[in-house]
């Protein structure tokens, strides 16, 4: 488990409550969404250690025991076959195989009145290994629940997806104000107006808000808003420079270009080709529109549907809200800018 409590959540109290309720009734929940949207932060809050979190869970009786939480950071794991080892190390178990790991976790979960909550953080590049590990552990460990974070679902029958979108604009502004306050700074009236413009430009993406707050240590909000207004400007948003005290431990979280490049690299060739085609459309799309836009891309007609579904699973395409919009998707501006950029060298 992390040695320090997770930072406070801003604008996510409703999502945190719904996620707790889902975990209370399901044994495998995956928080999905595009990179930088705050999946890991929301999962960290499920430990109950986040400031403002209820000690016994939102809406749950005091008599209900909280599970012990073990978090497995998977961002640095390079091979799907190494997932069981990473889980064993995070749980302090000596296990040489998935079977031994299951036996050890079953005993650990049985020893805690509330059972065990295993958080598998950042699964998208190890989806197969995470899926196999979660399947075996859930079957063998009755007292275990699994919370995963991933840009793509794990694909197990018992899985319940929890899609996470960007913050609402006012919540994103509240986050930016909080981060600036933590730096001992605030906003003038013109600066606050520029901050609102910045929030719109980055579509309220939490990671982008954090990057902007770090840049504001050296630049004014108005100057940043001007920079981001240039073609491709949002894609170039990055940390101000080498600062070990504040830099993200993940290289792909240090710039928005690197963030989207990670998603692009995880896509199949067909998905990449369709991504580039759909980026040319400014509106919402459905499968029929995707098939029309894919003309000339080299993708056979039968492959367009598979690629379209793959982009939706990977949170490159986000569903349009509303019952009347079933089957309609939109591409975030950041993903569109990446596909249309003259060069993807990041």
């Amino acid at each position: 488990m992390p040695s320090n409590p997770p930072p406070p959540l801003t604008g996510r109290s409703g999502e945190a409550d719904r996620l707790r309720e889902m975990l209370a009734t399901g044994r495998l929940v995956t928080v999905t969404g595009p990179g930088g949207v705050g999946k890991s932060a929301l999962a960290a809050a499920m430990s109950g250690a986040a400031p403002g979190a209820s000690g016994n869970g939102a809406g749950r009786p005091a008599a209900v025991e909280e599970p012990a939480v073990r978090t497995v950071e998977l961002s640095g794991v390079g091979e799907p076959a190494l997932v069981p080892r990473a889980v064993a190390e995070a749980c302090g178990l000596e296990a040489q195989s998935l079977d031994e790991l299951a036996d050890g976790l079953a005993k650990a979960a049985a020893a805690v009145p509330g059972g065990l909550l295993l958080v598998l953080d950042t699964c998208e590049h190890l989806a197969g290994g995470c899926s196999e590990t979660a399947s075996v552990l859930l079957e063998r460990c009755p007292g275990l629940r699994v919370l995963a974070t991933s840009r793509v679902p794990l694909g197990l029958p018992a899985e319940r997806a929890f899609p996470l979108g960007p913050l609402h604009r006012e919540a994103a502004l509240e986050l930016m104000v909080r981060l600036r306050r933590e730096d001992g700074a605030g906003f003038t009236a013109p600066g606050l107006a520029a901050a609102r413009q910045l929030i719109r430009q980055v579509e309220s993406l939490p990671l982008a808000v954090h990057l902007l707050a770090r840049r504001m240590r050296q630049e004014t909000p108005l100057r940043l808003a001007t920079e981001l207004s240039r073609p491709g400007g949002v894609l170039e948003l990055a940390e101000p420079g080498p600062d070990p005290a504040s830099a993200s431990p993940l290289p792909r979280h240090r710039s928005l270009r690197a963030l989207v490049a990670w998603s692009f690299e995880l896509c199949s060739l067909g998905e990449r080709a369709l991504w580039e085609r759909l980026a040319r459309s400014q509106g919402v799309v459905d499968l029929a529109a995707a098939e029309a836009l894919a003309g000339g891309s080299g993708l056979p007609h039968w492959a367009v549907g598979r690629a379209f579904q793959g982009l939706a699973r990977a949170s490159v395409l986000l569903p349009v809200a509303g019952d009347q919009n079933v089957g309609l998707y939109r591409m975030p501006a950041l993903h569109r800018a990446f596909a249309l950029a003259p060069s993807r060298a990041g």
Side-chain angles (χ1 to χ4, degrees), residues 78-319:
E79 297 293 336
L82 298 179
V83 172
R85 181 187 297 178
V87 173
E89 291 177 355
C91 296
L93 296 173
E94 295 287 342
Q96 302 301 318
S97 67
L98 186 51
D99 285 339
E100 290 183 8
L101 176 61
D103 291 339
L105 280 184
K107 293 177 182 177
V112 181
L116 186 65
L117 175 63
L118 185 67
V119 180
L120 300 178
D121 191 23
T122 312
C123 297
E124 57 263 17
H125 62 303
L126 306 164
C130 291
S131 178
E132 179 185 6
T133 300
S135 178
V136 171
L137 296 181
L138 288 169
E139 181 180 357
R140 298 271 298 277
C141 309
L144 178 70
R145 297 180 189 276
V146 175
L147 172 62
T149 71
S150 179
R151 301 188 194 189
V152 297
L154 299 186
L156 292 173
E159 181 181 28
R160 300 176 67 185
F162 188 95
L164 188 65
L167 292 166
H168 294 295
R169 285 185 182 176
E170 287 304 312
L173 182 63
E174 180 185 350
L175 173 61
M176 184 177 287
V177 170
R178 193 201 89 204
L179 293 172
R180 294 297 291 143
R181 187 181 299 121
E182 290 174 357
D183 282 339
F187 289 100
T188 62
L192 190 61
R196 290 184 181 278
Q197 179 181 344
L198 287 166
I199 294 299
R200 291 192 297 271
Q201 289 171 313
V202 300
E203 295 189 330
S204 302
L205 189 71
L207 177 63
V209 174
H210 279 266
L211 291 173
L212 286 168
R214 293 171 196 161
R215 290 281 295 273
M216 286 179 193
R217 295 169 183 170
Q218 302 174 4
E219 303 173 70
T220 66
L222 183 58
R223 178 175 176 176
L224 283 170
T226 301
E227 288 184 12
L228 266 63
S229 297
R230 298 169 183 161
V234 173
L235 194 63
E236 299 308 319
L237 178 62
E239 290 184 341
D243 181 3
S246 62
S248 169
L250 294 178
R252 63 178 175 273
H253 282 181
R254 296 173 189 168
S255 77
L256 295 188
R257 178 183 289 275
L259 181 76
V260 185
W262 170 254
S263 290
F264 191 79
E265 291 167 4
L266 293 175
C267 287
S268 68
L269 293 178
E271 290 164 355
R272 295 178 189 180
L274 186 60
W275 181 341
E276 293 169 347
R277 286 285 170 163
L278 297 184
R280 303 175 186 179
S281 172
Q282 293 294 322
V284 298
V285 295
D286 57 11
L287 178 56
E291 290 172 340
L293 289 166
S297 66
L299 273 179
H301 186 272
W302 60 265
V304 174
R306 179 181 299 176
F308 187 81
Q309 293 173 359
L311 292 177
R313 288 183 70 253
S315 304
V316 175
L317 294 175
L318 303 180

